[in-house]
Amino acid sequence: MTDATVSEPGHRLKPLSPAMLRELSVRSNLRGAVQSLGHYGMIVLVGALIWTSRHGVLWALPLMAVQGYLVAFLFMAVHETAHKTAFRSRGLNLAVGYLSAFIIGLPYEYYCLFHWDHHRYTQDPEKDPELIVGVKPASDTQLAMAYSGLLQVAGRLRLMLGHAVTGKVVVPWIPEGKRGTIVAEARAYVALYALLLALSLWFSSALLLWVWIVPLVIGQFFLRPYLYAEHTGCDRTRSAFENTRTTYTGTVVKWFAWNMPFHVEHHAYPSIPFHALPKLNAIVDGEIVYRGRGYIRTTGETWAWFRRQRQGS
């Protein structure tokens, strides 16, 4: 992905100097290791607490909500490694990317191609995959279901199964030459999930259910509103500073989201790694058009936008 920020006529943007861009684009195995090990370390810790307190529902449910947040937000690890910016090492990017993608049920190679087109065609209703597959709610009930994230998870699992069973890939963001890879990947995922299920049944263990599957489902209630904040209600232009939203939030949220609340910055300069986005924000902050003030407030704004779209259609 290039770092050229395409702007509409009239939107003046002072680009980064080549030297500044090179400085910000330096990737780090150490920073990637600290981030990924910290994220996974929290998942292991909370998972152990869930397992030891699973017979006490009052303790287990809040812990599963926390675990859900942590596991669902491994999506950010998938996203950063898809850009190959989490680490300097390509091998480390792939290792963390494949593992994280498997945990959240999102085939890695498929997502890389999906996300490539999302960056190329952001906010283009005919070409942006996020808009093509996006839920278009016709009622408040459907809107609430969309914000739960459950429809999206069901949709991608259904697509993965379809690829595995039929051997066919028809979505337009997957090039002809990559379709065999996507089918093989889907079949590998399905086979590994089936193996884990068989092992759980063999050992009569509910470990994976309580520390992984149930939390992953719960976590969608946190992840989906976060993802809707990235572009919902923004302009349908080619400028990253107009078609994307940066949401200003707390340190903990930014950490577990791998600094992706700085989303305008990421779309404008996708080769800049997650750890440099706060510094980039300090440089380009004045250019940002859509600025979210925390995720609770921004979720209210995106919800209202969806309702206006429905009522105006």
Side-chain angles (χ1 to χ4, degrees), residues 4-220:
T5 303
V6 184
S7 298
E8 294 293 324
H11 181 80
R12 294 187 301 171
L13 172 64
K14 183 179 180 180
L16 299 180
S17 68
M20 180 63 73
L21 182 58
R22 284 195 300 271
E23 177 187 340
L24 292 173
S25 297
V26 173
R27 302 166 191 186
S28 168
N29 288 338
L30 177 60
R31 297 295 293 268
V34 169
Q35 181 72 31
S36 54
L37 290 174
H39 199 147
Y40 271 97
M42 287 296 297
I43 289 172
V44 171
L45 173 61
V46 177
L49 292 174
I50 290 171
W51 190 241
T52 56
S53 63
R54 66 191 182 280
H55 300 300
V57 176
L58 291 178
W59 282 105
L61 285 179
L63 286 169
M64 282 195 285
V66 173
Q67 182 78 331
Y69 187 96
L70 298 173
V71 173
F73 271 73
L74 282 177
F75 174 83
M76 303 306 160
V78 177
H79 170 268
E80 191 71 18
T81 58
H83 283 275
K84 308 301 185 289
T85 49
F87 302 89
R88 180 186 294 273
S89 163
R90 179 177 176 82
L92 287 174
N93 278 302
L94 292 176
V96 173
Y98 279 121
L99 175 61
S100 302
F102 179 79
I103 290 173
I104 66 171
L106 178 61
Y108 180 72
E109 294 292 342
Y110 170 86
Y111 175 75
C112 289
L113 295 168
F114 176 101
H115 193 64
W116 167 250
D117 266 19
H118 167 61
H119 270 264
R120 290 175 67 195
Y121 305 116
T122 305
Q123 290 290 77
D124 183 334
E126 295 182 357
K127 294 183 178 180
D128 184 348
E130 288 195 359
L131 295 181
I132 293 172
V133 304
V135 177
K136 300 170 180 62
S139 67
D140 281 352
T141 299
Q142 292 182 12
L143 185 58
M145 285 295 295
Y147 270 82
S148 76
L150 300 180
L151 294 177
Q152 291 84 351
V153 171
R156 75 190 188 208
L157 292 177
R158 184 169 60 249
L159 184 65
M160 179 174 61
L161 282 170
H163 291 162
V165 173
T166 68
K168 296 179 181 179
V169 179
V170 296
V171 290
W173 47 88
I174 305 298
E176 182 70 34
K178 292 287 187 177
R179 293 180 179 179
T181 299
I182 299 307
V183 169
E185 178 182 53
R187 288 173 174 169
Y189 272 55
V190 171
L192 287 171
Y193 291 140
L195 175 61
L196 289 175
L197 175 60
L199 289 173
S200 295
L201 294 173
W202 178 267
F203 291 105
S204 300
S205 173
L207 173 65
L208 297 182
L209 179 67
W210 297 119
V211 305
W212 174 26
I213 305 302
V214 172
L216 179 60
V217 172
I218 295 172
Q220 304 311 307

